[in-house]
Amino acid sequence: MTEYRITGGRRLSGTVEIHGAKNSVLPILAATLLAGGECCVHNCPDLTDVAASIAILEHLGCRVVREGDSVTVDSRCVLRSDVPDELMREMRSSVIFLGAILARTGEGTISYPGGCELGPRPIDLHLKALRQLGARVEERGGTLRCTAPELTGCEISLSIPSVGATENAVLAACGARGVTTIGNAAREPEIVDLQNFLRALGARVRGAGSSVITVEGGVPLHGGEYRVMGDRIVAATYLSATAAAGGEVELTGVDSRHLATVAAALYEGGCAVASGMDRVSIRAGGRLRGLRPVRTAPYPGFPTDAQAILMAAQCTAEGTTVFVENMFESRYRHVDELARMGADIRVEGRVAVVYGVPRLHGARLRCTDLRGGAALVVAALGAEGESAVTGLEHIRRGYARLEQDLAALGADIRVRDT
Ligand code: UD1
């Protein structure tokens, strides 16, 4: 088993290049199934979720070659249409492959993704959208079988702007005859990235980034080359780490507009945040201040994926910060771990009240989920003394170089085999 050993209290300084966005890469890799040629995707981070996506593509019959941060997918001879249970379990968001598999082969079989560490993860909106496009969906014994010899464009209106359901609908609509409009679509930047990739393959998709997306389906797609955008949540993590530990850090390779709400919160907390087009920098020193309530919401609201990370920094703020988690039911599992370090946090339902304490102390900590794990690292960097963080498999799902990047910024973080 490996763990991080982190000694807190070191100021961070320097520049770090942010790697490609996990939540863009996954749907983009699924979208390569629609291309009638070779796709080369650059800035693909080395993450376990990316490896799981590649394993799914290979299982389906694609030829995949990874060279550094570039992944080339040749999907010309797709032979299968099922995602085996073990691959579904490895990455619950593999449900985004369903729309692409269906569009490509006219059928698709996956196992039901079930619940996960954030609570129930329903896929009813994904299935409703696919049904509206003409798919027949049968659920039996935890297996979902979809068939659609022909998909037909239609009007889809999502009751919640779900990121995954929007992506699935866009991917399936690319293979449908006629025009599909998706109303109340999620507006996350990763959906714009998916649209841009699809356009590079010749698809006619527009409107991503707004709440109405239009897809003119049935257009034959070709291969193409694309560079994935920088990961805004990784950037939010490094900004929060600097806020917690103090220092002066510049992040490159990330669109600062995607970080507006996180940057605004850190500014309110007393940090100096400056934004350029593809970079953002932060200067922090002294204690942070408590913030007005932080409410997670669909983009452009405050991202649920940054909730735990910002909370970790706010644990030692002067004053109180209220967090309201509106996106997922059980997204406060990191709170008990932060309490081990001396944090004073009360949770009631969707609300967490963080009473700032002067300092946190090092402790033995266990990652409970991907972003909750990153939050423990942020807290440990600002704490007094040494922390040991286990459960790093969660972190590897979304951070390709966490310890290397933080060490390069001057953090005392080491990986130890126990
Ligand atoms: C994506 C992100 C995840 C992020 C989340 C919210 C990926 C791979 N993951 O997840 O990091 O935390 O967006 O920004 O991109 N819902 C339903 N029925 C459905 C689908 C969703 O009720 O069929 C609900 C969910 O339970 C949740 C809300 O809608 O409460 C938003 O979820 P959604 O946007 O779908 O999140 P994901 O796409 O799973």
Side-chain angles (χ1 to χ4, degrees), residues 23 121-126 162-164 304-305 327-328 331:
N23 289 352
R121 209 107 184 225
I123 56 165
D124 53 315
L125 302 177
H126 299 240
S162 154
V163 175
T304 174
D305 286 353
M327 302 298 291
F328 291 105
R331 212 163 191 185

Side-chain angles (χ1 to χ4, degrees), residues 179-394:
V179 176
T180 300
T181 55
I182 304 162
N184 197 25
R187 292 182 282 164
E188 268 66 3
E190 291 77 11
I191 295 171
V192 181
D193 221 22
L194 173 63
Q195 168 180 278
N196 292 342
F197 173 69
L198 286 166
R199 280 193 184 163
L201 306 185
R204 298 195 187 136
V205 187
R206 61 195 150 83
S210 79
S211 47
V212 181
I213 299 178
T214 308
V215 182
E216 260 180 71
V219 182
L221 305 188
H222 46 74
E225 201 166 347
Y226 190 73
R227 186 178 168 83
V228 173
M229 68 176 208
D231 194 306
R232 62 194 169 104
I233 305 300
V234 171
T237 306
Y238 295 170
L239 291 176
S240 300
T242 312
E248 202 166 342
V249 164
E250 182 182 50
L251 307 175
T252 59
V254 65
D255 188 330
S256 60
R257 290 170 300 183
H258 301 163
L259 287 159
T261 50
V262 174
L266 292 168
Y267 175 78
E268 191 187 336
C271 304
V273 186
S275 298
M277 203 39 202
D278 63 345
R279 61 193 58 228
V280 56
S281 60
I282 181 167
R283 199 175 66 242
R287 264 183 99 177
L288 297 174
R289 289 190 293 270
L291 307 175
R292 281 172 297 174
V294 178
R295 301 170 201 278
T296 66
Y299 193 84
F302 190 90
T304 174
D305 286 353
Q307 174 256 108
I309 293 157
L310 179 67
M311 184 185 290
Q314 289 303 125
C315 286
T316 51
E318 201 153 8
T320 302
T321 306
V322 174
F323 286 84
V324 185
E325 174 53 59
N326 292 310
M327 302 298 291
F328 291 105
E329 268 175 41
S330 7
R331 212 163 191 185
Y332 286 134
R333 291 178 59 196
H334 49 280
V335 164
D336 285 346
E337 300 296 311
L338 292 172
R340 285 169 157 247
M341 308 176 85
D344 184 0
I345 306 170
R346 313 285 158 85
V347 175
E348 211 178 300
R350 292 184 176 272
V351 177
V353 184
V354 181
Y355 299 97
V357 294
R359 66 193 65 80
L360 298 180
H361 51 78
R364 287 202 65 80
L365 306 165
R366 181 161 184 80
C367 301
T368 51
D369 58 87
L370 166 57
R371 305 304 171 188
L376 302 182
V377 172
V378 168
L381 292 170
E384 268 179 11
E386 193 184 63
S387 294
V389 183
T390 60
L392 302 189
E393 67 281 3
H394 291 290

Side-chain angles (χ1 to χ4, degrees), residues 121-143:
R121 209 107 184 225
I123 56 165
D124 53 315
L125 302 177
H126 299 240
L127 301 184
K128 189 173 171 207
L130 297 179
R131 281 192 175 108
Q132 282 180 280
L133 284 161
R136 234 180 84 179
V137 183
E138 292 165 299
E139 297 179 51
R140 203 173 300 147
T143 300

Side-chain angles (χ1 to χ4, degrees), residues 126-176:
H126 299 240
L127 301 184
K128 189 173 171 207
L130 297 179
R131 281 192 175 108
Q132 282 180 280
L133 284 161
R136 234 180 84 179
V137 183
E138 292 165 299
E139 297 179 51
R140 203 173 300 147
T143 300
L144 277 171
R145 181 159 167 70
C146 298
T147 41
E150 192 171 70
L151 295 165
T152 311
C154 65
E155 274 187 33
I156 296 170
S157 177
L158 297 173
S159 56
I160 304 173
S162 154
V163 175
T166 302
E167 291 165 348
N168 242 330
V170 167
L171 292 170
C174 283

